[in-house]
Amino acid sequence: MAPVYTTVKQAERVVSAYLSRPNEAVYFDTETSGKRYREDRLVTIQLMQGERAAVVFDVRDRPEVVKALAPIFESGILLVGHNLKFDGNWLLQYGIRLKRVFDTQLAEQVIYGRGLGDEERKRNDLPMSLLAVAGRRGIEMSKGEREWFFKPAPLHERPEWNQPLPSEQVDYAAKDSTVLRDIAQQQRAELLKRKLMPVAIGICEPGRRPG
């Protein structure tokens, strides 16, 4: 099972380690008890940098741990995630803003929307979920474990809210980080080959000049 961290001290150690390698991207995802960031709850934050092992922070009722991780998100280290508007809205509830991002969902839209000369790839109805993007790129992953966080009811409304996270859900959360890394590596190569990287950067970070 991937390591599960719950304290400010552990968060500070991870922050220090990640900031010591500012040129290495951080792969980032969250798990929540639902999609309503004003009503549901943030459950985990999972992070991975470079070839380091992924770590999972159990942040249930631990706002101080979320805030201790803020330097990672606000330092300017490249944050790689999927549909980061969703994750960013959760962190915004803690006063944290994502500074520099590469969104694999937006990058996939750029790649499949233009420049490939393939009618199937130009279709606008291609699914863009993390599971769909991984599948198109031959990367194995499962989303079945995710339902535990919000079924049969949101986790924060169930007795399990106050119990340790099951190993299956911890490993699922950690796996998302490695999937993000593998997707982003493929996308980067394709964007560079097609000379679409400036477009992707412009969409992920409006106002930032590529280079």
Side-chain angles (χ1 to χ4, degrees):
M1 187 172 76
V4 179
Y5 295 159
T6 59
T7 70
V8 169
K9 185 169 288 188
Q10 289 169 322
E12 290 172 345
R13 284 202 296 266
V14 171
V15 167
S16 178
Y18 283 15
L19 295 187
S20 72
R21 298 183 183 178
N23 295 321
E24 289 189 19
V26 171
Y27 303 93
F28 152 62
D29 195 18
T30 63
E31 300 303 331
T32 67
S33 66
K35 296 181 178 180
R36 307 163 300 177
Y37 58 87
R38 288 193 176 94
E39 300 173 39
D40 295 314
R41 301 289 186 274
L42 184 61
V43 182
T44 67
I45 297 174
Q46 45 267 25
L47 302 163
M48 184 178 73
Q49 186 182 47
E51 298 303 317
R52 289 175 164 140
V55 296
V56 177
F57 282 90
D58 180 350
V59 297
R60 291 175 291 177
D61 296 326
R62 298 183 178 98
E64 70 282 0
V65 176
V66 179
K67 292 175 182 179
L69 292 170
I72 292 174
F73 304 114
E74 298 178 334
S75 67
I77 287 178
L78 182 63
L79 303 167
V80 179
H82 195 83
N83 188 18
L84 283 172
K85 181 179 180 180
F86 177 82
D87 303 290
N89 277 334
W90 284 97
L91 292 183
L92 199 56
Q93 308 310 303
Y94 299 84
I96 299 171
R97 294 181 181 274
L98 306 182
K99 184 172 183 180
R100 184 179 169 221
V101 302
F102 181 88
D103 190 320
T104 55
Q105 185 179 73
L106 296 179
E108 194 80 351
Q109 291 171 353
V110 170
I111 290 169
Y112 278 77
R114 56 173 293 182
L116 296 180
D118 183 330
E119 287 303 315
E120 181 180 356
R121 293 189 175 194
K122 291 179 180 178
R123 291 169 53 197
N124 292 322
D125 59 348
L126 282 174
M128 290 291 168
S129 68
L130 185 60
L131 181 63
V133 172
R136 277 198 297 274
R137 296 183 170 277
I139 299 168
E140 184 179 347
M141 72 172 302
S142 168
K143 279 291 185 180
E145 296 85 354
R146 182 171 179 265
E147 292 188 354
W148 179 87
F149 292 94
F150 51 85
K151 289 184 178 180
L155 180 59
H156 65 277
E157 297 176 0
R158 305 193 329 248
E160 296 98 312
W161 178 256
N162 296 309
Q163 299 172 7
L165 294 170
S167 59
E168 293 85 355
Q169 275 62 45
V170 173
D171 287 340
Y172 155 75
K175 174 70 173 176
D176 272 6
S177 300
T178 63
V179 168
L180 282 168
R181 178 195 62 195
D182 296 343
I183 289 173
Q185 288 175 349
Q186 289 190 24
Q187 288 179 334
R188 176 176 171 79
E190 196 162 354
L191 289 165
L192 290 171
K193 181 179 180 180
R194 303 286 177 175
K195 296 182 169 47
L196 291 172
M197 185 61 81
V199 178
I201 292 175
I203 292 175
C204 290
E205 299 182 74
R208 177 173 170 242
R209 298 180 61 185

